[in-house]
Amino acid sequence: MYISKKELLKQTGISYGQLYRWKREGLIPEEWFIKRSSPTGQETFFPQEQILQRVRDILRLKDQYSLDELAKILSPEISNRLFEEEDLEVFEEIEIDLIAGFMDAYEKDRFNFLEIVIMATLSEIRRRFAMSETEILELAEGIFPYVKELEHDGYLLHLYQVNDMKFLMIAKNDIKLYVDTHIEELYKVSLMEVSKKMKLKYQEQFHFIVKEEQ
């Protein structure tokens, strides 16, 4: 669903000037400003769920951080930092007993931040659906070839079930999926939202808001 600029300003109480200042500062992605024809000419629309959540986040955090810091926290770009095994143990969202399994499934012992986000999401899926370690690691192995191709976290991760078989799908946030009605969607989560929450939670330990990350 999309929301017009006029309705966005009305619902959130922000001004035209604030909206475009946040765009210039990189707080709101330029691709979210979508021009469409209207009876009065052209009007700007936004992906409704994402823009409303982003404005709420900015309003909530703008007194705690500078706009430059906020842009880094909210950025969908993947941190270029690589995380090692001892770093993974810091992230409470990742179940400890899955760490060794993830390392085996991915055949590596250093991970970028998006891979960390995926691990946290898979851990949450395991908790929600009481899945075994073997089941969750099979899901991890199934999507890993595609995760390394992703350059940002602007995706939704979907968990589907057909009969007793569960499988994952990763799709861009703004893509509408038409799925066979025989396939049940069990869970859907925005990787950008998971990423943002984790950046905020662990910014002091891992310096997610500094200009250059090593």
Side-chain angles (χ1 to χ4, degrees):
M1 292 182 62
Y2 292 86
I3 185 172
S4 69
K5 179 173 64 182
K6 181 179 179 180
E7 185 61 27
L8 172 66
L9 300 181
K10 180 180 177 182
Q11 282 195 31
T12 60
I14 65 173
S15 68
Y16 179 95
Q18 280 178 301
L19 178 65
Y20 281 88
R21 181 187 179 199
W22 293 344
K23 177 186 177 184
R24 291 193 302 272
E25 295 288 343
L27 298 176
I28 299 176
E30 187 169 351
E31 59 266 26
W32 288 7
F33 290 71
I34 301 166
K35 296 286 188 182
R36 289 185 172 178
S37 298
S38 71
T40 57
Q42 274 201 329
E43 192 171 354
T44 301
F45 288 82
F46 302 86
Q48 180 171 307
E49 184 177 343
Q50 289 127 288
I51 190 65
L52 289 175
Q53 183 61 53
R54 180 60 56 91
V55 170
R56 286 193 290 266
D57 289 335
I58 294 170
L59 292 174
R60 177 170 56 88
L61 299 169
K62 66 182 179 65
D63 293 331
Q64 300 176 47
Y65 306 100
S66 70
L67 292 182
D68 185 54
E69 289 173 331
L70 264 182
K72 292 179 176 65
I73 291 171
L74 299 174
S75 168
E77 297 306 314
I78 297 173
S79 163
N80 61 5
R81 176 185 179 131
L82 292 177
F83 298 84
E84 301 187 5
E85 183 175 0
E86 57 268 29
D87 296 321
L88 268 60
E89 295 175 0
V90 174
F91 293 103
E92 297 174 352
E93 292 80 2
I94 300 175
E95 295 194 359
I96 293 292
D97 64 328
L98 290 179
I99 290 176
F102 283 136
M103 294 172 71
D104 289 340
Y106 291 172
E107 298 182 345
K108 58 195 293 189
D109 56 10
R110 304 178 78 201
F111 303 90
N112 67 34
F113 187 59
L114 180 56
E115 291 165 343
I116 298 294
V117 170
I118 296 288
M119 291 181 205
T121 303
L122 290 173
S123 294
E124 174 63 18
I125 287 173
R126 183 192 184 190
R127 288 188 289 269
R128 282 178 177 258
F129 298 98
M131 297 175 67
S132 69
E133 180 178 342
T134 299
E135 288 176 309
I136 208 68
L137 292 177
E138 285 178 352
L139 292 179
E141 290 176 354
I143 61 168
F144 178 67
Y146 309 105
V147 172
K148 60 186 178 182
E149 298 178 12
L150 306 181
E151 296 180 353
H152 57 78
D153 58 18
Y155 294 84
L156 294 174
L157 185 143
H158 304 257
L159 175 67
Y160 292 106
Q161 179 169 289
V162 181
N163 297 322
D164 293 327
M165 181 179 292
K166 295 181 177 65
F167 62 94
L168 295 172
M169 179 183 293
I170 297 177
K172 287 186 177 179
N173 278 335
D174 56 353
I175 288 181
K176 176 72 173 176
L177 295 177
Y178 297 91
V179 181
D180 189 312
T181 55
H182 296 94
I183 299 174
E184 180 185 5
E185 182 175 73
L186 300 178
Y187 184 67
K188 177 177 71 175
V189 66
S190 164
L191 297 181
M192 185 181 291
E193 290 305 310
V194 177
S195 172
K196 178 186 64 184
K197 289 175 183 176
M198 293 180 70
K199 283 181 181 179
L200 285 169
K201 183 175 179 179
Y202 298 104
Q203 60 182 297
E204 291 187 7
Q205 292 97 321
F206 298 111
H207 310 291
F208 287 121
I209 63 175
V210 297
K211 209 156 201 172
E212 295 288 338
E213 295 189 40
Q214 302 298 325

